[in-house]
Amino acid sequence: MGASLGAAVFFFVAGIIFWGGFNTVMEATNSYKFCSTACHEMSWVHEEYLDRPHYQNATGVGAACSDCHVPDAWGPKMIRKIQASREVWHWMLGTVNTKEKFEGKRLELAENVWRSMLRTDSRECRNCHDWSAMDLEQQAARASREHARAFEQGMTCIECHQGIAHQLPEEWDESPVWAGRFEHDEPVTDAMHGEPEMPLEAEELGEAASVEANIAASLDWSDVPAIDLTLFLPGQASIEWIQDGSSHGGSRAFSFGDRCIWCHQGEEADIGALAVASEKIETYDLGNKRGHVPMSVRAAFDDDYLYMQFQWEAGEHAPLPFIEGGVMDPDNPFKLTVSLSDERVDMAERAGCWASCHHDSTYMPDAPEAEALAASELAERLDLMSAGGVTKYLTESRTEIEIRGRRGAARGGWDKLREEAEIEKLLNAGVYVDLARYNSGDGSVESGYILDERHFSDSQAIAFSAEEQGGVWTAYMTRALKTGTEGDKPLDLERLYSFNVALHDDYADSRFHHVSFQYGLAFGVENPEETFGEDMVEINATRIIR
């Protein structure tokens, strides 16, 4: 270029020094120390980050601020650094120099990041998390299913992983950034319900049946395989909570049809521990109540009856601190309840009897006051007072359900009851959850169903008995396949049912029970996956000959 050799050397060396200095500054402003200490405004998000898995986890592999917020490629990195000059300007202006100002801007700041990640296909996430490097078979069941679905649908990381490093803003899911993206998170909307998908045809109840003796107690169970399951305290995790994406990260999977057990099997003890510790899903002090109860279940059948055996360890007495004397139901050391439902009930295959657990039921966060119950015109139709409040009910029995509690609205829909003729039509068509309960105090058996509320009456077609030996309880149930009684689900040996079991142990009552996830119950099906689909049958009852 006509320059002397000395000048060329000078510019060459100067270029190296300039580039080295420029790169040093770039790297310094990308460092964790700079991000966490240079600006007072970063202190609040830094505190949140310290509690998240990107900072500390079992593998020891973390991600610093720049890993998520600064691109690796030189061109996009330069663009991001130029954009950062605007942030310096706002720092000089003191736009978010107090926590109150920051909280006021939190949603706007989060939206800026969300838009960027949606536009770049979560580019920074994929520096570490790439589809091609994922071995779905090695992942937990929940992650494997969701990642496979996301890959098939062309989704990007941020669509599911909002708030993974920082606290989510209030009403974040109402942001226009996500408009239309979470519509499927609300299979039950805050609006009018349509009719159930199943045709409303009357169920064939069969002829009236009775069980003279508990046959199950006399059977030889040695050839019937045992299914080990774990009951746990569900706390205040209502069906509304399950469907609310801002409360429950699995709401998206649930809305796609995933069953609770697919994601959470194996986590029962952890969930129960959360409830006992009054964390996240519980507000009552449960004292030393055990959080989970291992139980083995055996199921058999013939052409007339379903037989079941239940075994679990007796627990130590743990008085409930919020009840005077610590005992809720002094007449019954335990109550054992079996519920059955089918595809006629919305969400039954996914959640089983959980479909009837609402946020406004007794002892739940939005339970109505006694004065409101007494003053309601529904007091003539629902057993609100002697039952101690709102009992379990199905979504189908209401015209409207509030899922997310927008602007202070109570979640649930206890007071949105359908007309009596509509309820009768649903009952006749089998849209209900069947219940059978054993009361250990007097050995009585109650049979009933859940639809508009929980109904119980004496039953002659279901028998229970229980005995304790060596600290282990063994209970037996004999149930006619078809009882001929309204509200008792007639069982068809060719169909699949959602089975749940609940244990009110240690004199418990109301929702303070241990429950199972929903289990698919079939009757001696040779190829369950071909007949009912993959991972739908957990209990395949054994045919016996008496």
Side-chain angles (χ1 to χ4, degrees):
M1 304 258 324
S4 67
L5 179 60
V9 170
F10 171 79
F11 283 116
F12 179 74
V13 173
I16 292 175
I17 294 173
F18 171 80
W19 182 253
F22 176 77
N23 192 60
T24 299
V25 173
M26 286 282 291
E27 291 304 314
T29 57
N30 278 352
S31 69
Y32 170 70
K33 182 178 181 180
F34 177 85
C35 293
S36 60
T37 61
C39 299
H40 174 67
E41 287 82 345
M42 287 292 99
S43 61
W44 305 299
V45 291
H46 178 244
E47 289 174 5
E48 297 167 1
Y49 161 74
L50 294 178
D51 292 330
R52 305 299 171 110
H54 275 147
Y55 173 71
Q56 191 173 45
N57 54 62
T59 67
V61 178
C65 312
S66 59
D67 293 324
C68 297
H69 294 288
V70 180
D72 270 356
W74 192 85
K77 181 186 291 186
M78 292 303 102
I79 293 173
R80 179 68 189 93
K81 288 297 181 179
I82 293 171
Q83 292 172 339
S85 63
R86 182 172 178 268
E87 297 165 15
V88 174
W89 172 247
H90 280 285
W91 171 75
M92 295 172 63
L93 293 176
T95 303
V96 290
N97 62 351
T98 68
K99 192 166 186 179
E100 291 72 21
K101 290 181 182 179
F102 176 80
E103 291 298 337
K105 288 272 189 180
R106 184 185 281 271
L107 180 59
E108 178 184 340
L109 297 171
E111 287 176 333
N112 292 338
V113 176
W114 294 337
R115 289 191 186 98
S116 174
M117 288 187 143
L118 289 171
R119 185 175 61 251
T120 63
D121 189 23
S122 303
R123 176 182 53 206
E124 282 66 63
C125 298
R126 298 189 190 283
N127 289 334
C128 296
H129 308 281
D130 188 75
W131 290 123
S132 62
M134 288 187 183
D135 186 347
L136 299 186
E137 292 184 358
Q138 296 296 318
Q139 294 182 353
R142 181 193 319 175
S144 177
R145 289 179 186 277
E146 286 304 291
H147 286 149
R149 179 183 290 125
F151 180 74
E152 291 171 1
Q153 296 180 356
M155 294 169 62
T156 190
C157 312
I158 194 61
E159 291 186 71
C160 290
H161 293 288
Q162 309 92 347
I164 194 169
H166 303 295
Q167 179 180 319
L168 283 168
E170 291 186 11
E171 299 186 346
W172 66 273
D173 47 348
E174 290 186 341
S175 166
V177 174
W178 304 116
R181 291 181 180 271
F182 294 99
E183 290 178 357
H184 52 274
D185 271 359
E186 296 181 328
V188 181
T189 63
D190 300 343
M192 298 294 291
H193 295 293
E195 295 291 347
E197 294 183 5
M198 287 290 295
L200 292 179
E201 300 175 355
E203 277 191 318
E204 176 55 52
L205 299 178
E207 299 180 359
S210 63
V211 177
E212 300 299 330
N214 190 359
I215 304 169
S218 62
L219 295 178
D220 180 1
W221 289 92
S222 59
D223 293 331
V224 178
I227 295 88
D228 293 324
L229 49 90
T230 302
L231 311 187
F232 59 96
L233 293 173
Q236 295 169 329
S238 67
I239 194 65
E240 288 83 19
W241 182 89
I242 286 173
Q243 296 174 88
D244 181 0
S246 61
S247 299
H248 174 226
S251 66
R252 186 184 187 94
F254 187 82
S255 71
F256 276 118
D258 285 12
R259 303 163 69 212
C260 301
I261 194 172
W262 286 351
C263 289
H264 296 294
Q265 188 171 29
E267 299 176 359
E268 295 91 341
D270 294 334
I271 296 171
L274 281 178
V276 172
S278 299
E279 294 182 17
K280 188 174 181 177
I281 59 173
E282 183 59 82
T283 58
Y284 282 80
D285 181 2
L286 302 183
N288 295 319
K289 188 177 180 69
R290 54 179 173 172
H292 68 283
V293 179
M295 176 180 283
S296 69
V297 176
R298 289 179 167 87
F301 72 100
D302 56 26
D303 290 333
D304 300 310
Y305 299 105
L306 167 66
Y307 310 103
M308 302 199 80
Q309 181 200 69
F310 308 88
Q311 290 185 313
W312 69 95
E313 288 189 9
E316 297 291 333
H317 176 53
L320 292 175
F322 63 90
I323 296 293
E324 186 176 355
V327 173
M328 298 186 75
D329 182 4
D331 294 332
N332 291 291
F334 74 84
K335 297 189 290 283
L336 182 68
T337 305
V338 173
S339 69
L340 295 165
S341 52
D342 57 28
E343 70 275 18
R344 292 176 175 87
V345 174
D346 183 33
M347 300 183 283
E349 288 186 340
R350 290 173 283 165
C353 67
W354 219 302
S356 66
C357 300
H358 293 272
H359 223 65
D360 52 8
S361 297
T362 306
Y363 289 108
M364 295 293 274
D366 289 327
E369 298 291 337
E371 294 78 7
L373 296 176
S376 172
E377 60 183 18
L378 295 179
E380 297 181 0
R381 294 181 56 192
L382 299 175
D383 184 15
L384 299 173
M385 304 313 293
S386 62
V390 178
T391 67
K392 298 177 185 292
Y393 61 88
L394 292 184
T395 292
E396 286 88 342
S397 68
R398 267 53 180 183
T399 59
E400 188 176 352
I401 295 288
E402 174 69 32
I403 298 294
R404 299 181 178 179
R406 303 293 191 194
R407 288 164 286 279
R411 297 189 192 185
W414 75 271
D415 57 346
K416 305 297 190 300
L417 185 63
R418 290 185 181 274
E419 297 297 328
E420 289 187 58
E422 295 178 282
I423 298 296
E424 187 68 22
K425 186 178 181 181
L426 291 168
L427 178 60
N428 291 337
V431 185
Y432 59 87
V433 173
D434 173 275
L435 298 175
R437 184 167 74 182
Y438 173 68
N439 301 306
S440 64
D442 59 6
S444 63
V445 178
E446 296 174 295
S447 177
Y449 64 93
I450 300 170
L451 179 52
D452 54 331
E453 62 181 341
R454 185 185 60 202
H455 299 265
F456 268 132
S457 60
D458 293 336
S459 176
Q460 303 300 317
I462 303 172
F464 272 98
S465 62
E467 59 182 4
E468 181 186 7
Q469 288 186 354
V472 175
W473 278 102
T474 302
Y476 300 96
M477 182 188 79
T478 301
R479 182 198 192 276
L481 297 179
K482 294 186 178 181
T483 70
T485 302
E486 185 179 66
D488 283 352
K489 179 66 62 178
L491 302 181
D492 184 338
L493 299 181
E494 303 298 321
R495 299 185 65 176
L496 178 68
Y497 296 91
S498 180
F499 162 86
N500 293 77
V501 59
L503 178 66
H504 284 90
D505 77 325
D506 197 13
Y507 305 95
D509 199 14
S510 188
R511 68 169 179 81
F512 298 98
H513 53 11
H514 294 88
V515 301
S516 72
F517 286 124
Q518 78 295 350
Y519 286 79
L521 170 65
F523 294 90
V525 179
E526 188 172 343
N527 294 303
E529 292 193 356
E530 292 183 9
T531 305
F532 297 115
E534 186 178 359
D535 295 335
M536 294 299 294
V537 177
E538 285 80 30
I539 302 176
N540 196 6
T542 302
R543 177 176 279 279
I544 63 171
I545 299 175
R546 291 192 289 120

